[in-house]
């Protein structure tokens, strides 16, 4: 039986920091340097976080994380993959997230998608996520995907990956 | 620590058979008697299943299962409750289901909602569901909620409840 891998969307498949940076610039004329954001959560990094994240198409047009299509294809051939995304906090994101997955990852079926509020009751062998609070409630192997907000997080229970190439080497 | 109860939506909180019966009558002039449907799945019971289930507002305007509001309130006070609903097969249902929950069950927060394709990776102590294929993949206590399609299902692993009053007596 294949091992079960839970893959997060925002900050793992979707490059939400770059989406915020683009929209702060386009909508509000605010220029923010990606490399200046280490250790800063989105809510603090982006002055217009609330209006941007609630805006139409924020999730629908998010850029892909580099290498995520090839990387997820590799995982999907080798493991039982579920995409597990915190989504119910932003109800309008639900359909956008599913459409975004359908567009960029057509090999992922609707049977593999989970949109939730808390990931606590969702189990598997391996979790790839950028948020410590998701990893800390998970009982399998915990892989933290580097994002600015977790840049300084150290936890010996995690294995850290910085990009999708490192995921495919590790798994 | 409270036990975790996973509660299904369609056929447990939402009375989807009665929604199909109403819409077959209103849209297509077809009258169907609820009591004639025992042992028959929705796809076979309703001639216009596909167009009705994909129609706008099918999930948004579904009638409540009798006693479900009081019953879920009772469970929510006593247990850690997650609402777990198969939804990604019908992407337009996602927002409708969340709005429906918000309207009828305002004491259920977005943190307690899970919309998925498969319930296989979702764990808990107790599952209340009308579909054997969901119960059979679950490792905790399995409670089958009587619906026409499961009327003749017998499985000694299940506890059968016929309505929400029976749930609150049992749990």
């Amino acid at each position: 039986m294949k091992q079960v891998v839970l893959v997060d969307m925002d900050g793992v498949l979707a490059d939400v920091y770059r989406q915020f940076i683009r929209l702060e610039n386009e909508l509000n004329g605010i220029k923010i340097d990606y490399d200046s954001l280490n250790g800063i959560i989105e809510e603090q990094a982006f002055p217009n976080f609330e209006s941007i994240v609630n805006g139409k198409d924020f999730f629908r047009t998010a850029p892909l994380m580099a290498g995520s299509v090839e990387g997820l294809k590799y995982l999907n051939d080798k493991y039982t993959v579920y995409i597990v995304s915190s989504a119910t906090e932003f109800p309008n994101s639900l359909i956008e997230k599913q459409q975004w997955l359908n567009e960029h990852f057509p090999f992922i079926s609707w049977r593999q998608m989970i949109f939730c509020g808390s990931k606590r009751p969702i189990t598997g062998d391996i979790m790839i996520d950028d948020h410590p609070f998701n990893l800390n409630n998970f009982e399998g192997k915990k892989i933290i995907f580097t994002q600015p907000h977790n840049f300084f997080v150290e936890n010996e229970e995690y294995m850290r990956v910085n990009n999708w190439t490192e995921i495919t080497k590790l798994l």
Side-chain angles (χ1 to χ4, degrees), chain A:
Chain A
M1 199 133 108
K2 288 178 177 178
Q3 284 194 302
V4 172
V5 182
L6 309 183
V7 180
D8 181 31
M9 279 182 75
D10 300 331
V12 175
L13 294 174
D15 195 340
V16 288
Y17 269 82
R18 291 191 200 279
Q19 179 77 326
F20 275 113
I21 287 172
R22 177 177 77 82
L23 290 166
E24 281 287 17
N25 190 15
E26 286 183 17
L27 300 175
N28 309 304
I30 298 172
K31 290 194 196 309
I32 295 171
D33 177 15
Y34 186 91
D35 294 328
S36 73
L37 299 178
N38 287 341
I40 307 176
I41 62 172
E42 288 102 317
E43 288 87 333
Q44 294 177 338
F46 303 105
N48 300 287
F49 172 86
E50 276 294 332
S51 66
I52 290 176
V53 77
N54 284 301
K56 187 164 159 36
D57 288 340
F58 176 81
F59 293 99
R60 184 65 187 87
T61 63
L64 287 165
M65 202 66 79
S68 59
V69 173
E70 304 76 8
L72 190 61
K73 180 100 183 53
Y74 167 85
L75 291 186
N76 197 46
D77 290 341
K78 187 168 173 185
Y79 299 92
T80 296
V81 166
Y82 292 99
I83 310 300
V84 185
S85 180
S86 299
T88 54
E89 185 178 1
F90 305 105
N92 291 324
S93 78
L94 290 162
I95 184 78
E96 292 189 15
K97 287 190 173 209
Q98 182 155 2
Q99 289 173 339
W100 188 87
L101 287 173
N102 289 343
E103 178 189 347
H104 297 293
F105 304 91
F107 50 87
I108 296 292
S109 90
W110 57 265
R111 295 178 193 279
Q112 295 170 269
M113 301 175 190
I114 302 174
F115 301 120
C116 57
S118 165
K119 300 187 183 182
R120 197 178 280 258
I122 302 164
T123 56
D125 300 293
I126 301 164
M127 174 181 270
I128 305 170
D129 209 289
D130 61 321
H131 280 293
F133 60 80
N134 289 324
L135 296 166
N136 294 345
N137 288 321
F138 183 71
E139 293 196 351
K141 186 185 285 187
K142 307 167 203 281
I143 298 178
I144 191 165
F145 193 95
T146 298
Q147 283 288 275
H149 67 80
N150 69 36
F151 195 82
F152 299 113
V153 170
E154 288 185 37
N155 186 323
E156 62 187 16
E157 286 191 0
Y158 305 161
M159 305 187 69
R160 182 177 283 276
V161 292
N162 295 298
N163 52 55
W164 271 90
T165 305
E166 292 184 12
I167 291 178
T168 52
K169 278 188 190 154
L170 186 66
L171 300 180

